[in-house]
């Protein structure tokens, strides 16, 4: 069976590789554990209501967050601090997803419960570059690595593709299974969809013809993230498992589980060797990708909605469900923390 062959090949390669990289890995883990072990979390005020999403631009100079207060806020990052720069206004409901252009540090996209996709240029933050009406309420958004296309997945399992230059929907496809997170592979010729049946569905791009279905989780497969070099990808599921995969071989490498609730958000760091994961647990788990070993834990007052590593530094941004019932015993400070963007690793 093809999957079993992949596993054997990978195991042999890993065993061969361990002799070479073993020492490097050990010193890397020790350094990371030491650095993150003495790291603090700082909170930076952003919104009047809870923030749902957070993302860094490609240079790491700016970070953007979206909120229930219908705005996206852009802040600059300098000398370990965030400073508020722009408020992007125009959506008529909560901003649920935010994503920057992969290579243009000034361009970003937002989607809202108001069923629109908006494209922004932070050099002219007072107006939207484009407002595109989406088919249904979008729950997932991702950019193709060349910046030409934005993919949107909605609550009704319809995936559509928007041309960045013309701002037109150029294709869409209705799926007959629950579609969760979506994304392109390392060569942009395959398109991945995580599903409610626990599988990863891989399709040809742009035809979206099915290629293969990989069983990944025993319950809903919720999230999907590729490492920056796209050599690996990770999936998180309702079974509380995190799986690491080889992207070129499409082979399973390892899995680990330290969280008790469904895994809802994942982010690889800049060198692809650390993976942050969040669920409804009141912690963010940070693992060493090669072994799944825990290198750090970030304590949260409320469960994290979204985690995002800085593109060049080991600094993790995250936003949490500040007004959740988990937070009642912390209600004294909840007003201060509502709508904050938090940075760990400073």
């Amino acid at each position: 069976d093809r999957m079993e062959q992949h596993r054997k090949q990978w195991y042999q390669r890993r065993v061969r590789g361990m002799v070479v990289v073993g020492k490097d890995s050990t010193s890397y883990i020790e350094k990371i554990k030491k650095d993150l072990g003495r790291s603090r979390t700082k909170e930076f005020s952003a919104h009047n209501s809870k923030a749902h999403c957070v993302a860094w631009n490609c240079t790491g100079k700016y970070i953007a967050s979206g909120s229930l207060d219908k705005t996206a806020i852009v802040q600059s990052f300098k000398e370990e601090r965030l400073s508020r720069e722009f408020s992007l206004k125009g959506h008529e409901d909560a901003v649920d997803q935010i994503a920057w252009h992969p290579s243009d540090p000034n361009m970003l996209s937002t989607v809202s419960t108001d069923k629109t996709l908006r494209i922004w240029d932070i050099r002219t933050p007072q107006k939207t570059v484009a407002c595109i009406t989406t088919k249904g309420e979008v729950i997932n958004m991702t950019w193709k690595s060349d910046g030409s296309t934005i993919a949107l997945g909605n609550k009704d399992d319809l995936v559509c593709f928007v041309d960045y230059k013309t701002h037109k929907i150029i294709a869409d496809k209705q799926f007959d299974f629950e579609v969760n997170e979506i994304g392109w592979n390392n060569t942009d010729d395959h398109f991945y969809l995580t599903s409610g049946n626990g599988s990863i569905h891989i399709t040809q791009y742009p035809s979206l013809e099915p290629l293969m279905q990989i069983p990944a989780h025993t319950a809903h497969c919720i999230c999907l993230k590729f490492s920056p070099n796209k050599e690996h990808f990770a999936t998180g599921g309702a079974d509380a498992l995190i799986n690491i995969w080889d992207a070129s071989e499409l082979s399973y490498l390892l899995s680990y589980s330290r969280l008790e609730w469904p895994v809802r958000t994942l982010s690889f760091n800049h060198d692809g060797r650390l993976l942050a994961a969040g669920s409804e647990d009141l912690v963010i788990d940070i693992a060493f990708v090669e072994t799944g070993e825990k290198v750090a834990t970030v304590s949260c007052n409320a469960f994290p909605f979204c985690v995002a590593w800085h593109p060049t530094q080991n600094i993790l941004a995250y936003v949490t469900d500040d007004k959740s019932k988990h937070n009642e015993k912390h209600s004294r400070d909840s007003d201060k923390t509502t709508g904050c963007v938090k940075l760990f690793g400073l």
Side-chain angles (χ1 to χ4, degrees), residues 53-178:
C53 48
V54 66
W56 296 94
N57 76 341
C58 60
T59 61
K61 185 183 174 184
Y62 292 107
I63 191 168
S65 52
S67 163
L68 208 54
D69 67 8
K70 308 177 189 176
T71 69
I73 298 291
V74 177
Q75 302 193 74
S76 58
F77 177 62
K78 196 177 177 186
E79 293 166 357
E80 301 201 337
R81 290 200 63 76
L82 294 182
S83 306
R84 188 175 170 131
E85 298 288 342
F86 321 110
S87 177
L88 307 178
K89 293 177 180 173
H91 281 298
E92 291 168 14
D93 211 331
V95 177
D96 292 323
Q97 296 278 324
I98 201 156
W100 292 84
H101 187 288
S103 54
D104 186 332
N106 298 307
M107 305 301 295
L108 75 155
S109 56
T110 54
V111 290
S112 161
T113 317
D114 68 8
K115 300 180 183 175
T116 65
L117 159 71
R118 287 174 184 259
I119 296 170
W120 309 83
D121 183 336
I122 61 169
R123 291 164 296 192
T124 53
Q126 63 281 5
K127 63 179 197 291
T128 308
V129 173
C131 177
I132 299 118
T133 301
T134 59
K135 298 177 178 183
E137 192 179 319
V138 173
I139 53 170
N140 279 298
M141 169 171 62
T142 188
W143 286 75
K144 193 160 172 261
S145 62
D146 63 4
S148 66
T149 312
I150 303 167
L152 307 172
N154 79 10
K155 270 188 170 170
D156 303 313
D157 312 314
L158 178 87
V159 176
C160 69
F161 298 87
V162 177
D163 185 285
Y164 169 58
K165 288 215 165 79
T166 65
H167 311 140
K168 297 274 190 292
I169 293 175
I170 48 173
D172 62 34
K173 178 157 182 177
Q174 179 67 55
F175 289 90
D176 59 2
F177 55 84
E178 178 190 306

Side-chain angles (χ1 to χ4, degrees), residues 259-264 278-283 302-304 321 325-326:
L259 299 169
E260 289 177 26
W261 291 85
V263 181
R264 299 200 173 276
S279 67
E280 288 183 36
D281 295 73
L282 300 186
V283 293
F303 73 81
D321 184 20
K325 56 181 180 288
H326 294 307

